Amino acid sequence: FAYSISLQPLLRRLKALPFLPREALIISYVDDTVIVGPAQEAILALKYLASELKSCCCSSLRPDKCCILAPPSLSQDELQLLGLPPTIPVAHDGLCFLGNPIGTPAFESQHFAGILQPTHLALSRLHLMSSLHAQWTILSKSLLHFPTYHLRACLRHHDLALSSLHDSLKGHIRRL
C-alpha cells in the first residue's frame, strides 16, 4: 500500500508530461503500470517512468516484467528506432495485466483455455473415484472461485476449447 502511495506523485507528473496526449491512459495497481497511447509518446513516457522510479520509490523498472502491445504494423525494430529498449518484448496479439488478458479474442481464448486446462484434466479423472460423494465434493469445489472467475471473464470469447470444458462440466454434473 505504501508503495502505491509513493508512486502516485510520479504517475501524476507522468500524466502531465507535455508530449503525452490528453487521451493517453495511465493505469497503475501497486507496482504494475500500463501506459496507453501513441507508440513514440508511450515509449517516452516509459523512459521517463524508468528514470524517475529510483528517486521516487527506491525502485527500478524491470524489463523482464515489461511488455509492449503494439499493432501488427509496428515491428520490434521500428519500435526500437522510436527508443524502445531492446530488452522489452513486443506482443501484437495481446498481453496480461493483473492476470487478465488484453488483446484479440483469439489471444484471450487461448489464455483462458491454458488456465482452465488443469481443471479440465482433473475433472476428466473423476470417474476413477468410487464414491459419488467424493466425486461431487471434488466437482463442486473445482467450480468455485478460480475457474468461475475466469469463465465469467471470458464468456464473450466462447471458443471450442471453452465449449469443450463447459460440455465436460455439464456431463460430470449430469452423471452425478
Side-chain angles (χ1 to χ4, degrees):
F1 181 71
Y3 184 85
S4 298
I5 292 172
S6 67
L7 188 61
Q8 186 65 31
L10 173 56
L11 294 174
R12 288 181 192 268
R13 288 193 311 272
L14 181 65
K15 181 63 177 160
L17 290 173
F19 59 79
L20 204 58
R22 285 190 58 201
E23 64 274 1
L25 184 62
I26 298 172
I27 304 167
S28 190
Y29 180 80
V30 187
D31 65 344
D32 292 337
T33 301
V34 173
I35 302 169
V36 180
Q40 188 166 13
E41 289 82 355
I43 290 169
L44 288 171
L46 175 71
K47 287 180 161 189
Y48 177 82
L49 178 66
S51 70
E52 295 292 314
L53 278 172
K54 182 95 172 145
S55 63
C56 170
C57 307
C58 298
S59 184
S60 63
L61 186 75
R62 289 193 42 199
D64 62 312
K65 292 187 75 179
C66 294
C67 185
I68 301 295
L69 178 61
S73 59
L74 284 175
S75 70
Q76 179 131 7
D77 291 338
E78 290 171 310
L79 290 167
Q80 286 176 4
L81 287 174
L82 294 174
L84 179 70
T87 55
I88 297 179
V90 176
H92 295 291
D93 56 347
L95 56 81
C96 289
F97 179 63
L98 301 177
N100 291 298
I102 301 168
T104 64
F107 175 81
E108 293 181 14
S109 291
Q110 181 181 9
H111 172 80
F112 287 119
I115 284 176
L116 296 172
Q117 171 61 21
T119 302
H120 182 61
L121 180 63
L123 293 177
S124 71
R125 296 181 179 148
L126 271 182
H127 70 281
L128 300 174
M129 300 177 76
S130 58
S131 164
L132 283 177
H133 182 276
Q135 288 182 34
W136 175 253
T137 302
I138 297 291
L139 178 62
S140 63
K141 299 299 180 196
S142 296
L143 299 178
L144 295 176
H145 309 300
F146 187 73
T148 303
Y149 165 78
H150 287 291
L151 283 170
R152 283 184 182 153
C154 70
L155 285 177
R156 63 193 183 108
H157 303 301
H158 204 270
D159 69 354
L160 187 58
L162 297 174
S163 295
S164 169
L165 177 62
H166 181 261
D167 293 344
S168 172
L169 293 174
K170 279 189 351 190
H172 291 302
I173 291 170
R174 283 187 183 139
R175 191 173 50 78
L176 295 176

